[in-house]
Amino acid sequence: MTQVTEQAPATRFAESALAVDGVRTDTAAFDAWLADCRDRFHTTVELRPLDALQGWSVDPHTGDVGHSSGRFFSVRGLDVRVPGAAVERWQQPIISQPEAGILGILVKEFDGVPHCLMQAKAEPGNINGIQLSPTVQATRSNYSGVHRGKAVPYLEYFRDTTSHRVLADVLQSEQGAWFHRKRNRNLIVETTGPVELLDGFCWLTLGQLHALLRQDDLVNMDTRTVLSCFPAAHTAAESGPSYGELLRWITEERARRERHVRQIPLNSVTGWQLRDGRVTHRDGLFFDVVGVSVEAAGREVGRWDQPLLAPHDTGLVALLVREIDGIPHALLHARVEAGHLDVLELAPTVQCTPRTYTHLPPEARPRFLDTVLTAPEENVLFSAVHSEEGGRFLHARNRYVIVEADPGPSLADCPEYRWTALHDTAALLRHSHYLNIQARSILACLHGLAGREGKKKS
């Protein structure tokens, strides 16, 4: 049996990040593989009224939308109160999915270089059909067979890890504005044994994945969150003084801020209504909850119906970065969101849908939004549009932007923001519920930039 190279994981994966042409799959082979998958794997999605979805129903008493099995997920109402916020109270629909799924990337060395086993996966909410998914991307309902479909490929590597090397294993949240307490287990597992390469899968290096992050709507959200958990060469020991100060700041912010949420019937949510077969805001803002009928090729199940949350506009996720005393830092925001398990998680500098704020009070406009929007072109280090969860959201997209702050903006009167060393953010990623999904996504993009800079210097 081939043995894993005896080097620190961070060093080995730094080498994988520099392998931009791959060893197992070169760029030309990947392009041909992806084109072939897009020809053969696809979804056909048609809008359908929520009360006409096969296997789903709208409760006549509460208006909640749920599956006949009682599994998968439901759409309910949420009443939210955040004292001291620009908007202190609101009600909204939200996806309730209390079960934790598995997002896993399988790793194996080829010619001494670690590679990731990636999947071409079609999701009903993807704007372009196929996107690059982790090895395994499955809810508990799916992998336990509630959908009565085929077994999830490679699941055994993540259900029983005793004979493999676990590089990361952590529960992480998903969108706190759209999910109520949704979590997924993020896993990176390395194997030394033979792995059969199934149809629709390919081996890629971290360097290739980082390069693909620069393409719009290609590397899906689930891949990005797992990528952020890879061991990083700049990860510091958790006992460092800056890391301890960071943990104390997060604890202080969680103790200082308040958030009160309670589930309520969907048909009692103020400002929202079931109209024309969808749940929509009375002013046409924010998002709709719609029904779809899906036919899919290359999936465990070939046909199904389901609800999807459909945002109205493309959002913005932006990170300001700078060096402080020669150490790379990112400006993070201790952000309160309705659906998170704890009061708050760390978010990027800016996380919003800019058009929404034309309908809200001026004081609700996100800090540093104008700093990002007016940044000189030479300060924009990264910009790409990425899709969010295609299994629950319809054409949900954000522009991810990394901007070099020169000089760093003042944080006077901004206790909820903090310049954070990148090695400390990497340490946080070993634990649950510190960094939100948008922060993890943009950190994956930032790690790709670090790899490119390392290659330039070598």
Side-chain angles (χ1 to χ4, degrees), residues 219-434:
V219 179
N220 81 359
M221 183 197 82
D222 297 316
T223 295
R224 299 193 305 269
T225 180
V226 182
L227 282 178
S228 73
C229 298
F230 267 88
H234 55 257
T235 302
E238 295 186 6
S239 58
S242 63
Y243 186 74
E245 292 168 4
L246 175 61
L247 290 178
R248 283 192 294 274
W249 172 66
I250 296 170
T251 301
E252 288 171 358
E253 285 299 299
R254 283 176 169 169
R256 181 178 71 87
R257 314 276 284 280
E258 289 186 60
R259 185 205 60 182
H260 307 277
V261 297
R262 61 185 180 94
Q263 289 195 2
I264 60 175
L266 185 57
N267 59 14
S268 70
V269 174
T270 301
W272 297 76
Q273 57 188 322
L274 178 64
R275 182 175 61 194
D276 300 327
R278 61 175 61 196
V279 177
T280 185
H281 190 267
R282 64 187 174 197
D283 297 325
L285 300 176
F286 310 118
F287 58 84
D288 292 349
V289 180
V290 302
V292 295
S293 181
V294 185
E295 291 189 5
R299 290 284 302 249
E300 293 86 5
V301 177
R303 189 197 176 285
W304 70 93
D305 290 356
Q306 69 170 94
L308 288 173
L309 187 151
H312 287 184
D313 297 288
T314 299
L316 175 67
V317 175
L319 191 68
L320 292 180
V321 297
R322 65 183 291 205
E323 284 197 356
I324 300 176
D325 297 330
I327 298 173
H329 283 64
L331 185 57
L332 297 181
H333 178 203
R335 181 183 176 92
V336 176
E337 293 189 272
H340 282 160
L341 194 65
D342 211 330
V343 174
L344 58 81
E345 296 186 8
L346 299 190
T349 316
V350 177
Q351 175 189 317
C352 70
T353 303
R355 185 175 165 189
T356 298
Y357 290 89
T358 62
H359 305 278
L360 295 176
E363 58 270 21
R365 188 172 178 81
R367 289 182 184 268
F368 308 114
L369 173 59
D370 294 324
T371 302
V372 171
L373 295 178
T374 60
E377 185 176 348
E378 61 270 20
N379 284 26
V380 179
L381 306 179
F382 180 94
S383 179
V385 175
H386 287 306
S387 296
E388 305 305 329
E389 172 58 73
R392 297 293 177 266
F393 311 139
L394 181 63
H395 299 173
R397 306 168 79 215
N398 282 301
R399 177 165 292 280
Y400 283 78
V401 180
I402 300 173
V403 176
E404 185 174 13
D406 183 28
S410 170
L411 297 188
D413 302 320
C414 298
E416 68 272 25
Y417 290 83
R418 184 183 180 93
W419 285 107
T420 305
L422 291 189
H423 57 72
D424 288 336
T425 65
L428 286 178
L429 283 164
R430 301 173 191 163
H431 308 284
S432 304
H433 310 311
Y434 277 125

